[in-house]
Amino acid sequence: MEAMQGEVLARVTRNGMVESVHTGHLIELDTDGSVLRSIGSVHIPVYPRSSVKSLQAAAMVRLGLKLNAKQLALVCASHSGSTEHFEMVRSILASVGKDESALRNAKDLPLGEKEKRAWGDQEPSQIAQNCSGKHAGMIATCVINGWPTDNYTDASHPLQVAIKDEIEKLAREKVQFTTSDGCGAPLFAFSIAGLAQAIHTMTISEDPVDLEVMNAQRQFPEMVGGIGRLNTRQMQAVDGLFMKDGAEGVMVASVKDGRTLAMKVADGSMRPIGPVVHATLKKWGFNSPDETINVLGGGKVVGSIEPA
C-alpha cells in the first residue's frame, strides 16, 4: 500500500494554499528509451486498463485483422458513443458477416456527456459501451482465424493468449496478474515502466503492424476518443502525438521521435492528467492546448490544479 501511494504528481491550490494533492507514478522516456524522469514506484504492477488498446490491436493485426485506418482507430478506442462510432463498430462486424448481437462486452450508456444525452431513454447496450470497437475487432480476428466467438473474452482463448504474448513482448516483462476489465475482456497487470517501454517501442518501430496501429490513431483521433475529449483534442492539435487514457487514472502519450510518458494516479482520479500531460508536452517543446483546471470560490478563480 505504501508503494502504491507513489509521490505527488499534482497539487490543488486555493488562495495560495495547497488544499489537496494527487499522488501516483510517472515515467518519462527519452528518444532512445532511456529514463528522463521517474516519480513514484514505476516497477510495481498496475492494471493499465484501456491505455493498452494499441497493444491489443497490434496483436489482432498480427493475427490477420484487416481494416481501414478509421476502423482500426476505433479498435484502439474508448469511444464517446457517437453515431459515427456506432457505424464503425457495425462496419467492422459486418466485414466478417457478424452484427452487434455477437458482442460479449458489458452493457453501458455512451461515455461522452453529449452522446449520453443524445442516447436519451434507451437502455444500456453493448454497442454503446466505450470498448465496443475493441470487441468488434476481437470478433473479426476470431472469425479470420476460425476461432469461436462465443467465448472470445476467456483468458484461455487463443486470441487472448496472443494478446498477452504481444503485451509481454512489447513491455519486456511478464504479466503479473490477470483479471477482467470493466468491459469483460481479460486485463493484464504489469508495471508503468513496462507500459512506457511498450508505447515507446511501438512509437519508434518500423514494424508494419506497429506503424499501421499508431498511424491509424494519429490520423483519426476523433475515433480514439471523441470530440472534446482530452486525448482527441490534444492529438488533433499536436502533430505526431499519440495519447490514450485508461480508467483509474492511467494515461500514456508519445511523440514520433520516441519520447514517451506513462502515468498512474494512485487514487484513480483522471482530474490531474490534463495539466500533467500539458506540462510535459510544453517541456518537450510542443504548443498543446491549455489544460488548466481552475479552482473556484464564489464563482471566481481562486486557485488551480498544478502539476508537481
Side-chain angles (χ1 to χ4, degrees), residues 39 50 91 110 118 129 131 169 193 196 198 209 245 253 267 274 284 286 288 304:
I39 300 172
S50 290
S91 71
Q129 200 266 343
C131 299
K169 179 188 75 173
V209 170
D245 52 351
D267 66 359
W284 290 352
F286 293 95
S288 74
S304 64

Side-chain angles (χ1 to χ4, degrees), residues 90-113:
R90 293 186 178 108
S91 71
I92 293 167
L93 292 168
S95 71
V96 291
K98 297 286 186 178
D99 59 31
E100 58 193 271
S101 66
L103 292 168
R104 295 290 179 266
N105 56 303
K107 295 180 180 180
D108 204 351
L109 299 173
L111 183 61
E113 290 303 317

Side-chain angles (χ1 to χ4, degrees), residues 264-287:
K264 157 70 178 172
V265 183
D267 66 359
S269 173
M270 305 301 287
R271 187 169 69 161
I273 288 178
V276 172
V277 169
H278 172 71
T280 302
L281 290 172
K282 185 177 180 180
K283 177 185 170 208
W284 290 352
F286 293 95
N287 184 25

Side-chain angles (χ1 to χ4, degrees), residues 3-10 22-28 39-51 187 189-193 195-196 244-253 261-273 276-277:
M4 188 62 207
Q5 290 174 15
E7 299 177 34
V8 175
L9 300 179
H22 288 288
T23 65
H25 320 283
L26 179 150
I27 187 167
E28 185 183 343
I39 300 172
S41 303
V42 298
H43 295 290
I44 64 171
V46 301
Y47 289 122
R49 306 300 293 268
S50 290
S51 69
L187 177 63
F190 57 107
S191 72
I192 285 292
L195 177 60
K244 183 68 188 74
D245 52 351
E248 292 298 317
V250 182
M251 178 66 79
V252 293
L261 173 72
M263 63 183 291
K264 157 70 178 172
V265 183
D267 66 359
S269 173
M270 305 301 287
R271 187 169 69 161
I273 288 178
V276 172
V277 169

Side-chain angles (χ1 to χ4, degrees), residues 63-83:
L63 288 166
L65 180 64
K66 289 179 171 49
L67 299 173
N68 63 42
K70 198 169 189 178
Q71 292 170 322
L72 184 56
L74 192 71
V75 172
C76 302
S78 299
H79 65 72
S80 292
S82 70
T83 299

Side-chain angles (χ1 to χ4, degrees), residues 116-131:
K116 193 177 296 182
R117 289 194 297 271
W119 187 256
D121 295 330
Q122 297 181 75
E123 292 294 317
S125 77
Q126 286 159 320
I127 197 168
Q129 200 266 343
N130 71 88
C131 299

